[in-house]
Amino acid sequence: MKKILFPTDYSETANNAFKYALQLADYSNAELYVLHVYDPPVISGGISPHLVDNVIKKNDFEKLEQLHANSPTLIALRKELNLEHVEVFFKVKEGLLIPEIQNAILENNIDFIVMGTDGINASFHKKILGSNTVNTISKVDIPVLSIPKEAEFKNIENIVFTTRLEEEEEETLEDLIEAANKLNAKVKCVYVSTKKKPACDAVYNKWKEKYKNEPVSFHLFNTDKIEKVLFDFITSEKVDMVATVKQNKSFLERVLSKSITQHLAKHLKVPFFAYKAKKK
């Protein structure tokens, strides 16, 4: 059985992503692990150990109260979606978010992460994937699915895979094809060649032949305006999810650039799946 990790701060954005994660868990027959991480209290010097211990206990109690205050909200969301049968495990940890996410992955054999991300009304760095999501993508070795605040769960029919036509992306492509076959969906591989990086004919021809009987199509463009071509393709096609490989900097780094933040926040309202590059 698949296992999904869902870090949350109980914000409106996170609660919307919880609905998505819950429906995805039901759709894929997966277990859902809800993780809430809070910072330890900062204690100044000159305080007795006994008092420090009391402060920490008080802080723990207050944070647990916060958890219990918010849990009814998540319970209500499960009831609203009629998904009370989905197995959900709640975990509360004191510490730093990324290390606790890494610990949770190891302890629970997590397959991938779902995180909520802010949209149009967020500040610059949070507008794309959210600073926590960006850090998570860069630090973990499993896929991370970011859910924009505006996204609603629906059946996945079309997946756009932004590719550099490199051998190390093939395993990710095969994972996407496997998922597409189960979901009766299609994978649309998009490659944009530039003056600095021309098309890799060997990989393209290999994939085209190898996956000719799979639900895969290839869409090649030649321009230096990579982000514009990608956005135009995503917005003109019926796209339910965008997937990329972390090493694919031509997309991941460009969508994090300030110059196109407004454009992306406006148009990319579908889940964004970031995979780790897998070397042969």
Side-chain angles (χ1 to χ4, degrees), residues 43-183:
I43 309 297
S44 59
I47 300 178
S48 69
H50 177 70
L51 183 56
V52 169
D53 185 57
N54 286 340
V55 170
I56 292 175
K57 286 182 178 179
K58 183 175 185 298
N59 186 75
D60 285 345
F61 181 75
E62 290 173 348
K63 294 298 181 179
L64 287 173
E65 278 188 331
Q66 177 185 344
L67 173 68
H68 287 293
N70 285 280
S71 288
T73 301
L74 302 190
I75 292 171
L77 291 174
R78 295 175 69 185
K79 189 173 182 179
E80 173 192 333
L81 297 169
N82 196 28
L83 292 176
E84 295 165 287
H85 60 277
V86 175
E87 198 160 13
V88 181
F89 302 91
F90 293 89
K91 294 184 175 293
V92 183
K93 296 290 185 179
E94 176 188 274
L96 300 176
L97 180 62
I98 302 302
E100 290 304 332
I101 286 177
Q102 292 171 326
N103 289 338
I105 291 171
L106 293 175
E107 290 172 5
N108 303 289
N109 297 315
I110 298 297
D111 294 290
F112 63 92
I113 298 170
V114 174
M115 297 184 74
T117 58
D118 289 307
I120 295 172
N121 295 322
S123 58
F124 158 56
H125 287 296
K126 292 183 178 179
K127 206 173 242 183
I128 305 301
L129 299 175
S131 57
N132 284 334
T133 308
V134 173
N135 288 335
T136 303
I137 289 172
S138 65
K139 299 293 185 182
V140 303
D141 293 332
I142 62 174
V144 179
L145 177 62
S146 67
I147 309 298
K149 190 174 181 179
E150 300 83 3
E152 294 183 3
F153 183 85
K154 57 183 177 179
N155 290 344
I156 298 171
E157 297 178 1
N158 292 289
I159 303 170
V160 166
F161 177 45
T162 67
T163 176
R164 290 169 60 91
L165 292 178
E166 294 179 346
E167 292 284 355
E168 60 193 15
E169 295 179 312
E170 187 170 337
E171 192 171 339
T172 297
L173 176 57
E174 290 180 349
D175 288 345
L176 291 173
I177 291 173
E178 181 182 356
N181 281 319
K182 290 179 180 178
L183 300 171

Side-chain angles (χ1 to χ4, degrees), residues 11 14 24 31 72-73 78 121 128 148 166 178 200 209 215 218 223 244 262 266:
S11 64
L24 185 61
E31 294 176 345
T73 301
R78 295 175 69 185
N121 295 322
I128 305 301
E166 294 179 346
E178 181 182 356
C200 182
E209 175 62 25
F218 294 88
T223 177
T244 193
Q262 201 168 24
K266 180 179 179 182

Side-chain angles (χ1 to χ4, degrees), residues 200-211:
C200 182
D201 291 336
V203 174
Y204 170 69
N205 291 329
K206 173 189 173 184
W207 288 2
K208 193 143 179 98
E209 175 62 25
K210 184 175 181 179
Y211 303 116

